[in-house]
Amino acid sequence: MRVLGIETSCDETGVAIVQDGTVRSNLLASQVEVHERFGGVVPELASRAHVEALNPLLEQALGEAGVGFGDLDGVAVTVGPGLVGALLVGIAAAKSISLAARIPLVGVNHLEGHILANAIEHGPDLAPAVCLVVSGGHTMLVHMPEPHRYEILGQTVDDAAGEAFDKIARFIGLGFPGGPALDRLAQQGDPDAIRFPRAMADSGDYDFSLSGLKTAVLRHVKAERGAGREVDPADLAASFQEAIVDVQVAKTMDAARERGTRRVLLGGGVVANSRLRDRMEKAGAEAGIDVRFPSMSLCTDNGAMIALAGSWRLARGERSDLSVGADPSMVLA
Amino acid sequence: MERRGVIVLGIDTSTAVTSVALGTEHEIVGAVSFAGARKHDDVVPAIEQLLAWTGKQLEHVHGVAVGLGPGLYTGLRVGVEAGKALAQVLRVPIVGIPSLDVLAFGVHQTPRTVVAVMDARRKEVFSARYRPVHGGVVREGGYRVGTPAALAADLEAVREEVLLVGDGAILYRQELEVSGRIEVAPAPFAHPWASALVTLAAPRFIREETDRLPEVVPLYLRKTDAEIAWDQRARGASA
Ligand SMILES: [Zn+2]
């Protein structure tokens, strides 16, 4: 089965063609330059950029895969969660493609896309698993007892992890988006230099809180400067990152143990963080739990994960109506 | 092209009305419009109904015409992107036409000067001015966005008889009817109907004056709030 995937939920236009679990093409038009000067994603600008990028990207994706619209067996599109105006651009295109190419349409939950992205490189036997989805918009622990069944164990009560990374990166002066730059800087710092609070580490549930950590970082720097001491940015970055990673590793492993599953799946842009990957793998090896995550380009938002998840749903006989809309706060269920 | 003319699929979603139509330069084969509260995603279902009603297939379509607005951004974009993707899959040419032009074309039989006025929200209107000619209208000046008061001031300076057309003209009738020379066209003319878009666009396909797909983008006329705030800061910094 050859499926086209379209992803426009936030600030990346993603188009991909996946055939029987294999990526034939996976293209991305990043809007980093559009939003950079604003220090965050501007929804209206994101929607405008999707309209400009989407159709040339579709052409390119077909070209790279060496197929035409007529060779497709289905079209999958992100219907939520995300920015409503941005989602609707991808949905409008997907519906037209479905109608004109006479192929079935299926709406995909963006979060399921991040989880099932793991199937591209690790094969289809993923469940049962505990999944951690961490990105600029989400920080969520999910139990997947079987494919397409999800039970949300916990999520952030305030900021998403990616948001916290971006804010601290901006504070240190690393620009937007700051995640990758902060990761690099942290590699030269001491993660134990400053002991920041591990928010909700012992809360007994699987929820996360990140706004307190952000405040603690700002307060620490202010106090040090007040005392006439400069803070080493690499130590600051490493210590801040460690506080986030500590809690995520601990809660993910706890959840896996409690659910009795031997597998942990990671997904979302923050999984590109090298410290999170290393610490998760190490904790998994110690606990005898198989930790899997996609390679860099499949962690961040992309069309391939939507095509993959969509192809699985199409194979189960699922179809979306041409009247399907965007669901900006769609729940994973 | 064949003698019976090119069949054009027209789509306009710049106002609260979703309007699609199928036809040639001389004939409207079918039209479907949804008015009232929009679900933002009813364009393709409307096209499906249009095809079912007319018994036509998308393979009969020689070209896609989209109304570029200006208009209400999210809905406008849905129509433009739906049209672009259809043209891309069908491998047919596309033409984008400003929806203000479509509004003015809809009343081109009047001998008066026409000003198309669309509601731009935020107590502003989009507008453009046209001179009727044989078989159509010719735009004079650019597409503008501004307050109804600013447009009213401009209208006061116009010496000829003026016909205002569009939902903005109806909404701000009291501010805009500044003299006896000005009349507001009634509600049936107030939306850029896809049937008028088809009639207006068909000759462009015959003359092969079509647009490049990537260049078909909505006519926004306004920067985003974030950009406006940024410009203000930049101006403040340089002042
Ligand atoms: Zn994402």
Side-chain angles (χ1 to χ4, degrees), chain A residues 2 17 24 68 70 128-129 141 147 157 167 170 182 190 206 215 224-225 232 298 321:
Chain A
R2 202 180 280 129
I17 291 164
R24 296 284 303 272
L141 259 176
V157 297
K167 280 177 184 165
R170 196 160 6 131
L182 193 137
D190 175 6
Y206 297 114
T215 314
E224 288 295 295
R225 282 183 187 157
D232 177 43
L298 293 171
D321 206 71

Side-chain angles (χ1 to χ4, degrees), chain B residues 121-134:
Chain B
R121 299 269 171 93
R122 306 178 170 205
K123 300 202 170 83
E124 289 188 324
V125 290
F126 299 120
S127 65
R129 191 164 136 190
Y130 302 82
R131 180 169 44 87
V133 293
H134 185 78

Side-chain angles (χ1 to χ4, degrees), chain B residues 194-218:
Chain B
S195 46
L197 172 64
V198 164
T199 311
L200 193 53
R204 293 264 309 264
F205 291 97
I206 295 166
R207 294 198 303 266
E208 297 187 2
E209 287 171 17
T210 57
D211 294 321
R212 286 192 58 243
L213 191 66
E215 282 155 22
V216 178
V217 288

Side-chain angles (χ1 to χ4, degrees), chain A:
Chain A
M1 184 161 43
R2 202 180 280 129
V3 176
L4 170 69
I6 298 176
E7 153 63 38
T8 64
S9 69
C10 191
D11 61 340
E12 315 264 15
T13 317
V15 176
I17 291 164
V18 167
Q19 183 173 2
D20 303 323
T22 305
V23 177
R24 296 284 303 272
S25 60
N26 186 22
L27 293 154
L28 204 65
S30 174
Q31 303 179 3
V32 167
E33 283 163 29
V34 174
H35 305 286
E36 206 170 15
R37 59 180 168 142
F38 304 108
V41 176
V42 178
E44 173 61 22
L45 286 178
S47 304
R48 292 183 182 190
H50 286 309
V51 173
E52 288 177 29
L54 186 51
N55 302 84
L57 218 54
L58 283 164
E59 212 60 63
Q60 219 181 322
L62 290 169
E64 275 193 22
V67 296
F69 285 106
D71 301 314
L72 301 172
D73 300 304
V75 52
V77 63
T78 308
V79 291
L83 304 169
V84 64
L87 287 164
L88 283 168
V89 175
I91 294 172
K95 288 182 187 181
S96 281
I97 293 166
S98 168
L99 182 72
R102 302 178 199 280
I103 52 174
L105 170 75
V106 66
V108 171
N109 184 311
H110 181 82
L111 300 169
E112 175 170 75
H114 274 308
I115 292 169
L116 298 188
N118 282 288
I120 293 167
E121 290 154 316
H122 308 307
D125 296 322
L126 298 175
V130 160
C131 320
L132 176 71
V133 182
V134 267
S135 69
H138 306 278
T139 299
M140 186 183 281
L141 259 176
V142 182
H143 180 222
M144 175 172 71
E146 57 184 77
H148 309 294
R149 262 197 60 209
Y150 302 99
E151 177 197 351
I152 295 171
L153 302 175
Q155 50 192 315
T156 182
V157 297
D158 39 52
D159 292 353
E163 234 178 313
F165 271 107
D166 282 343
K167 280 177 184 165
I168 296 303
R170 196 160 6 131
F171 174 67
I172 302 177
L174 298 175
F176 170 86
L182 193 137
D183 186 357
R184 277 193 301 277
L185 180 63
Q187 284 168 24
Q188 292 140 38
D190 175 6
D192 302 317
I194 312 153
R195 180 75 193 172
F196 288 121
R198 268 57 174 166
M200 305 187 76
D202 307 311
S203 58
D205 57 24
Y206 297 114
D207 284 340
F208 301 88
S209 168
L210 288 148
S211 67
L213 172 60
K214 194 181 64 201
T215 314
V217 171
L218 305 188
R219 198 183 296 131
H220 174 81
V221 171
K222 203 173 164 211
E224 288 295 295
R225 282 183 187 157
R229 290 188 293 269
E230 253 323 299
V231 180
D232 177 43
D235 282 348
L236 187 71
S239 301
F240 157 77
Q241 179 177 275
E242 201 69 1
I244 292 186
V245 169
D246 262 356
V247 179
Q248 295 194 342
V249 170
K251 293 213 175 201
T252 305
M253 291 302 152
D254 282 353
R257 268 189 295 269
E258 192 209 52
R259 296 287 143 160
T261 161
R262 314 300 309 161
R263 175 167 290 143
V264 162
L265 301 174
L266 310 181
V270 175
V271 181
N273 181 278
S274 60
R275 186 71 178 166
L276 180 64
R277 288 170 172 245
D278 293 350
R279 290 278 316 278
M280 278 288 184
E281 273 194 317
K282 198 159 149 276
E286 280 166 11
I289 289 169
D290 182 26
V291 175
R292 295 286 171 96
F293 43 80
S295 55
M296 295 288 190
S297 65
L298 293 171
C299 284
T300 45
D301 292 352
N302 64 85
M305 68 185 198
I306 303 305
L308 189 284
S311 66
W312 282 20
R313 290 200 171 263
L314 287 168
R316 286 155 53 98
E318 288 185 34
R319 304 283 183 271
S320 293
D321 206 71
L322 286 179
S323 64
V324 66
D327 185 352
S329 48
M330 191 177 192
V331 179
L332 191 59

